């Protein structure tokens, strides 16, 4: 698959803060890539360097097919984290204005604006003032603006993070359609949004890439058998669970079958090395110690478990 964008050893230092510490990744043509990481990980800084708004301290950003002297902005459409709109303009006026800024003729800008406002579901609201738009509508207008010059890569910084549930649905729905037509890179701190939209993921933490690859590959590479045990609301059961978390790594028999134990509220979550042995040993232990529980479930770790582990949350 063609690489549309290649990033190598990207570094950005602000005074004494190193916000981005040598990030490298590729964006493949036709794919949707999520830049995923907690707040402060360096997502916005990375994206601003890709869009040319911020000069990298070090590193290489290469767009495929860029002619010498041509600006990368002609290839990419950008929706910033908090886009600023002129509230007194109508959606149509704003989209036309954005088109002209990108070098479209007045006629082209107008027909393209009309087409895109329809595409993002704003045809009926096109002549209303932006000041009266909902958050979801503003974000959809931002999408129309970003796409006005038919970019090869659509870059969005936290496109749904600030929206209410309805706005999120509206925008996610449109993004699902757009990603079928355009190469997309978006950042998010919400794992669920990445899972819902992306093919590839670059997980960043403290300015560095912690993990990257296709979502399906990462999922299958890191899938571990897990047992979840929901305990009865009784002090003796909780006492047993707390002591189990303490001793599972010091007790030789348990260490051979359980990799990790974690207690959250009344649920004990065990990442196991051998599901059959673990299930048997655990049922015996529960009976012997008279531990009351309401549910025991065997399954697999989720991407969320992996994300939590990788970002150290
Ligand atoms: N202009 C700036 N000056 C100083 N520090 C900055 C600036 N921009 C970002 N940072 C710092 O760089 C780190 C990464 O920020 P950012 O790229 O905004 O992260 P994210 O978008 O993942 O939340 C943070 O510690 C932030 O405080
Ligand atoms: Mg950010």
């Amino acid at each position: 698959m063609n690489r549309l964008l290649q990033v190598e050893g990207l570094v950005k230092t602000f005074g004494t803060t190193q916000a981005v510490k040598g990030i490298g990744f590729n964006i493949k043509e036709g794919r949707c890539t999520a830049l995923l990481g907690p707040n402060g990980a360096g997502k916005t800084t990375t994206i601003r360097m890709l869009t040319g708004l911020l000069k990298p301290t070090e590193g290489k950003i290469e767009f495929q097919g860029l002619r010498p002297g041509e600006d990368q902005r002609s290839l990419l459409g950008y929706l910033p984290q908090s886009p600023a709109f002129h509230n007194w303009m109508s959606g149509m006026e704003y989209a036309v204005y954005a088109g002209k800024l990108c070098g479209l003729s007045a006629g082209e800008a107008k027909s393209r604006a009309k087409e895109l406002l329809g595409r993002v579901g704003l045809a009926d609201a096109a002549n209303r003032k932006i000041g009266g738009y909902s958050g979801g509508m503003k974000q959809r207008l931002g999408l129309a603006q970003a796409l006005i010059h038919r970019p090869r890569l659509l870059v969005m910084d936290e496109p749904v993070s600030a929206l209410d549930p309805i706005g999120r649905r509206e925008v996610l729905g449109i993004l699902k359609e757009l990603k079928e037509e355009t190469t997309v890179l978006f950042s998010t701190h919400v794992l669920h949004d990445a899972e819902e939209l992306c093919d590839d993921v670059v997980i960043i933490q403290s300015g560095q890439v912690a993990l990257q690859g296709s979502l399906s590959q990462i999922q299958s590479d890191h899938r571990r058998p897990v047992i979840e045990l929901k305990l009865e609301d009784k002090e003796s059961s909780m006492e047993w669970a707390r002591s189990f978390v303490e001793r599972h790594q010091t007790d030789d028999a348990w260490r051979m079958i359980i990799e990790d134990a974690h207690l959250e509220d009344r649920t004990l979550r065990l990442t196991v090395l051998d599901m059959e042995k673990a299930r048997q040993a655990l049922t015996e232990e529960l009976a012997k110690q008279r531990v009351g529980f309401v549910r025991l479930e065997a399954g697999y770790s989720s991407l969320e478990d992996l994300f939590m582990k990788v970002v150290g949350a």
Side-chain angles (χ1 to χ4, degrees):
M1 208 174 298
N2 259 340
R3 285 176 181 172
L4 185 57
L5 170 66
Q6 199 160 344
V7 177
E8 265 177 50
L10 203 59
V11 172
K12 183 68 196 182
T13 309
F14 296 110
T16 54
T17 316
Q18 203 170 36
V20 171
K21 305 172 185 165
I23 282 183
F25 59 88
N26 300 312
I27 302 289
K28 299 192 199 89
E29 183 118 54
R31 306 271 288 182
C32 176
T33 305
L35 197 59
L36 173 67
N39 288 327
K43 303 180 294 295
T44 297
T45 308
T46 301
I47 284 185
R48 287 171 60 84
M49 287 192 276
L50 300 183
T51 56
L53 290 169
L54 206 58
K55 197 171 153 17
T57 309
E58 275 175 51
K60 257 190 351 203
I61 299 172
E62 277 176 10
F63 284 88
Q64 183 223 61
L66 199 63
R67 286 182 289 274
E70 194 182 15
D71 195 288
Q72 76 246 51
R73 275 170 278 195
S74 60
L75 296 186
L76 59 86
Y78 172 49
L79 179 60
Q81 186 156 6
S82 359
F85 295 105
H86 300 300
N87 283 330
W88 46 267
M89 277 187 172
S90 71
M92 178 60 87
E93 283 165 345
Y94 183 80
V96 170
Y97 162 76
K100 286 183 186 161
L101 280 184
C102 288
L104 302 185
S105 70
E108 254 180 309
K110 212 166 166 186
S111 71
R112 188 78 184 130
K114 192 159 179 242
E115 176 191 337
L116 281 167
L117 289 175
R119 187 83 183 67
V120 299
L122 289 176
D124 292 343
N127 295 317
R128 278 166 42 198
K129 296 262 179 286
I130 299 170
Y133 281 14
S134 69
M137 289 166 83
K138 282 186 183 164
Q139 209 62 348
R140 287 186 279 144
L141 176 61
L143 277 174
Q145 166 273 127
L147 294 167
I148 199 99
H149 58 304
R150 303 180 197 276
R152 286 177 65 196
L153 175 65
L154 172 63
V155 179
M156 298 171 288
D157 195 0
E158 306 258 10
V160 295
S161 302
L163 299 177
D164 63 18
I166 295 173
R168 276 173 54 83
R169 273 294 123 219
E170 289 172 2
V171 174
L172 283 171
I174 291 167
L175 291 180
K176 274 187 189 165
E177 291 173 16
L178 286 176
K179 74 171 194 150
E180 300 303 320
E181 304 159 21
T182 318
T183 310
V184 174
L185 171 68
F186 73 101
S187 78
T188 179
H189 65 278
V190 182
L191 172 72
H192 192 72
D193 295 341
E195 277 184 288
E196 190 160 340
L197 283 175
C198 76
D199 309 303
D200 297 325
V201 62
V202 180
I203 302 182
I204 66 170
Q205 159 74 335
S206 308
Q208 284 170 312
V209 175
L211 192 66
Q212 64 177 311
S214 80
L215 199 61
S216 53
Q217 190 64 45
I218 287 179
Q219 248 154 350
S220 64
D221 284 354
H222 293 269
R223 212 163 86 124
R224 297 275 181 277
V226 162
I227 293 178
E228 259 188 22
L229 176 71
K230 180 153 189 199
L231 297 146
E232 212 175 51
D233 190 10
K234 229 169 66 181
E235 188 44 35
S236 60
S237 299
M238 294 307 293
E239 185 57 43
W240 170 84
R242 282 190 287 268
S243 92
F244 189 84
V245 170
E246 299 265 303
R247 68 191 159 94
H248 81 279
Q249 278 306 302
T250 51
D251 180 322
D252 279 340
W254 286 118
R255 200 169 55 193
M256 304 292 286
I257 46 179
I258 291 179
E259 190 183 338
D260 185 51
H262 191 83
L263 183 65
E264 204 177 311
D265 295 328
R266 284 196 287 131
T267 302
L268 181 65
R269 226 178 127 71
L270 307 173
T271 308
V272 306
L273 297 164
D274 183 322
M275 180 58 94
E276 271 323 300
K277 282 188 188 154
R279 192 160 25 192
Q280 196 177 351
L282 191 66
T283 9
E284 280 167 21
E285 166 84 3
L286 293 174
K288 201 166 100 198
Q289 306 288 342
R290 298 176 179 279
V291 178
F293 62 92
V294 286
R295 181 165 53 81
L296 186 139
E297 209 170 78
Y300 288 94
S301 61
S302 64
L303 208 56
E304 179 155 10
D305 301 321
L306 175 66
F307 182 55
M308 290 306 186
K309 202 163 136 191
V310 167
V311 305

